[in-house]
Amino acid sequence: MRNMLALVTIALTALLQISLSGFPAGLKPDLLLIVAVFFALRRGGIFGFVAGAFSGFLVDCFSGSPLGLNVFIRAIAAAFVGRVNKRIDYSGLFGQMTIVFTISLAVNILYQFSAGLMGEGPAFFPALTGIILPASFYTGIVTPMIFFLLFHAGRLIGW
Amino acid sequence: MVERNARPRLIIIVILVSLVLVLLLALVYPAAEKIKVRTASYLKGPLQATGRFSRWIQVESPAQEFLKEKQNLETKLLFLKSQLDELARENEKLRSQLMYKQLVEGRRMAAARVIGKDISNWSRTILLDQGEEAGIRKGMAVVDNGALVGQVVESGKGVSRVKLITDPDSRVGCLIQESRQTGLTEGTVDGKIFLKYIDLKAVVKEGERVITSGLGENYPRGLLVGKVGAVVMDGRGLYKCAWIVPRADFSQLEEVLVIIQ
């Protein structure tokens, strides 16, 4: 049941993410990645993997990227976070922001690299300055707020 | 103890291998598009509800409505003027008139509401609430107030996805209306439009109208794209380039028209 609730939360986050607009240069924080990392930190590698794969599937379905690319990258990233969750201190704001910023950076670089192999997406340096760094920064900035909401929702729901 | 540790690892390996297979299948199998559109159609209802809610909280005053109406009329006037100019030029040359007439008269449109924007930062697409049942097919051009917005890239039951011309992977063959120079537009990572491959000897002025050239059969000829902004030289000095100021406001897209050909 709590697994289902977690997946429903990810689906609702996707709806919120689709409705988001108004950030500079059209970029927006990656709320789905934040939620996947949160579940990976709380529940470990296996569920992190599932949460990452599901959020990646939604990203692929609601974007122009090929189906499977984000599933693959996000599942691996979230599984890795879940695997090392015992060694990560995410109780403080700075810790939360740093973890998600780093994972976002890694996910975006992997995406750029993989999309490049398929002949899609922009070149690395314009992408680094135009998408990867600013998007990771926005994602890191909003992380404490999302973590706070998820912590408190978790107390009520029990994930 | 060893078995307890080995089991999760085995599960991860199995899932990883299956994911790689899914990825490979997605690359070669056209059904991947259908899966994407079908999943999007399942969330159509909640997306429409979210849209209705956001429109409900954005109650417009009469003055705002007048302003919006004025802007719409101005846009329509500009589009008609552009069409008229183009028609006059085509008449002068006595060759493309028939094609243009066919474009205007033979045009059948399907109106659709924008129910979602792109979820990622890597591509610029929108989701429409109309799909195959409205006659929308992959490759059709999409306009807003007479200005080109993009092209349908996926179409399914009740939903379709449009790749905007600001997407970094988007290419549109264009014609600069006054100087009659052709080029190819590309979207940039920051959502702008860049026109490439303009002849080195061409004299292109800022403010000239840019329309679709109709070359390449992706877009019909004569659709307004925008105006020429700054004209720059290609880095290697092989051709001229220009920044395009798009006519469509991509951040405010609510309802669009799909050109059914």
Side-chain angles (χ1 to χ4, degrees), chain B residues 2-181:
Chain B
V2 175
E3 271 182 25
R4 277 182 74 189
N5 285 336
R7 207 173 160 207
R9 273 188 202 162
L10 185 71
I11 293 168
I12 288 183
I13 289 166
V14 168
I15 298 171
L16 264 177
V17 170
S18 57
L19 264 180
V20 172
L21 286 174
V22 165
L23 184 67
L24 289 172
L25 273 176
L27 289 175
V28 294
Y29 196 48
E33 258 177 34
K34 294 272 178 200
I35 297 169
K36 284 179 73 171
V37 175
R38 191 163 289 175
T39 311
S41 68
Y42 289 142
L43 283 175
K44 184 183 170 183
L47 280 170
Q48 283 176 321
T50 314
R52 272 197 294 272
F53 179 70
S54 61
R55 278 192 296 279
W56 179 68
I57 57 172
Q58 290 170 351
V59 181
E60 286 184 349
S61 66
Q64 280 174 314
E65 277 177 24
F66 276 125
L67 200 68
K68 205 172 172 183
E69 186 62 28
K70 185 177 166 258
Q71 281 170 345
N72 279 342
L73 288 171
E74 279 173 357
T75 314
K76 277 177 191 164
L77 189 70
L78 250 168
F79 173 57
L80 288 172
K81 198 169 176 288
S82 129
Q83 296 273 12
L84 265 175
D85 284 359
E86 185 57 20
L87 197 60
R89 281 177 194 278
E90 300 286 334
N91 272 330
E92 278 169 24
K93 291 180 181 176
L94 292 174
R95 59 183 168 86
S96 303
Q97 188 189 30
L98 186 62
M99 196 175 70
Y100 192 75
K101 200 177 164 191
Q102 279 171 344
L103 172 77
V104 175
E105 288 180 356
R107 205 182 266 178
R108 196 161 67 83
M109 308 258 198
R113 188 179 279 275
V114 179
I115 55 168
K117 290 170 186 169
D118 201 296
I119 202 166
S120 87
N121 291 313
W122 287 95
S123 49
R124 286 166 202 278
T125 61
I126 51 171
L127 200 66
L128 306 182
D129 70 346
Q130 299 290 330
E132 282 171 349
E133 72 290 337
I136 298 173
R137 299 282 182 275
K138 190 177 174 178
M140 289 176 174
V142 180
V143 292
D144 175 40
N145 281 326
L148 182 67
V149 165
Q151 189 179 34
V152 177
V153 286
E154 290 162 11
S155 178
K157 198 179 170 187
V159 287
S160 49
R161 177 171 301 284
V162 176
K163 184 194 273 184
L164 301 179
I165 53 172
T166 52
D167 184 284
D169 284 330
S170 183
R171 306 280 183 276
V172 187
C174 283
L175 172 74
I176 303 170
Q177 214 170 15
E178 282 79 18
S179 57
R180 313 305 292 172
Q181 292 300 315

Side-chain angles (χ1 to χ4, degrees), chain A residues 133-159:
Chain A
L133 284 172
S136 301
F137 179 73
Y138 293 148
T139 307
I141 288 288
V142 301
T143 298
M145 191 179 72
I146 306 296
F147 270 37
F148 176 81
L149 292 172
L150 289 170
F151 272 131
H152 285 269
R155 276 184 197 161
L156 293 171
I157 299 164
W159 49 54

Side-chain angles (χ1 to χ4, degrees), chain A residues 4-154:
Chain A
M4 278 307 294
L5 281 171
L7 296 180
V8 168
T9 306
I10 292 172
L12 290 175
T13 310
L15 281 179
L16 183 66
Q17 176 101 27
I18 293 165
S19 319
L20 270 184
S21 62
F23 283 83
L27 296 172
K28 45 194 169 187
D30 195 339
L31 302 182
L32 278 168
L33 185 70
I34 300 172
V35 176
V37 169
F38 175 83
F39 286 121
L41 287 168
R42 297 284 283 188
R43 307 275 298 276
I46 301 286
F47 192 75
F49 187 87
V50 174
F54 184 55
S55 67
F57 175 72
L58 290 172
V59 172
D60 281 338
C61 287
F62 290 97
S63 73
S65 62
L67 185 67
L69 192 56
N70 276 296
V71 177
F72 184 63
I73 294 168
R74 284 163 191 255
I76 289 174
F80 172 75
V81 173
R83 186 94 183 129
V84 297
N85 64 347
K86 297 278 188 291
R87 288 177 237 166
I88 299 173
D89 176 22
Y90 58 98
S91 55
L93 299 186
F94 186 72
Q96 294 169 5
M97 286 197 282
T98 310
I99 295 156
V100 175
F101 174 79
T102 312
I103 296 297
S104 174
L105 213 57
V107 163
N108 279 309
I109 289 172
L110 267 173
Y111 180 86
Q112 200 282 332
F113 182 71
S114 316
L117 286 178
M118 291 180 214
E120 289 190 16
F124 182 72
F125 284 105
L128 183 72
T129 53
I131 300 174
I132 298 171
L133 284 172
S136 301
F137 179 73
Y138 293 148
T139 307
I141 288 288
V142 301
T143 298
M145 191 179 72
I146 306 296
F147 270 37
F148 176 81
L149 292 172
L150 289 170
F151 272 131
H152 285 269

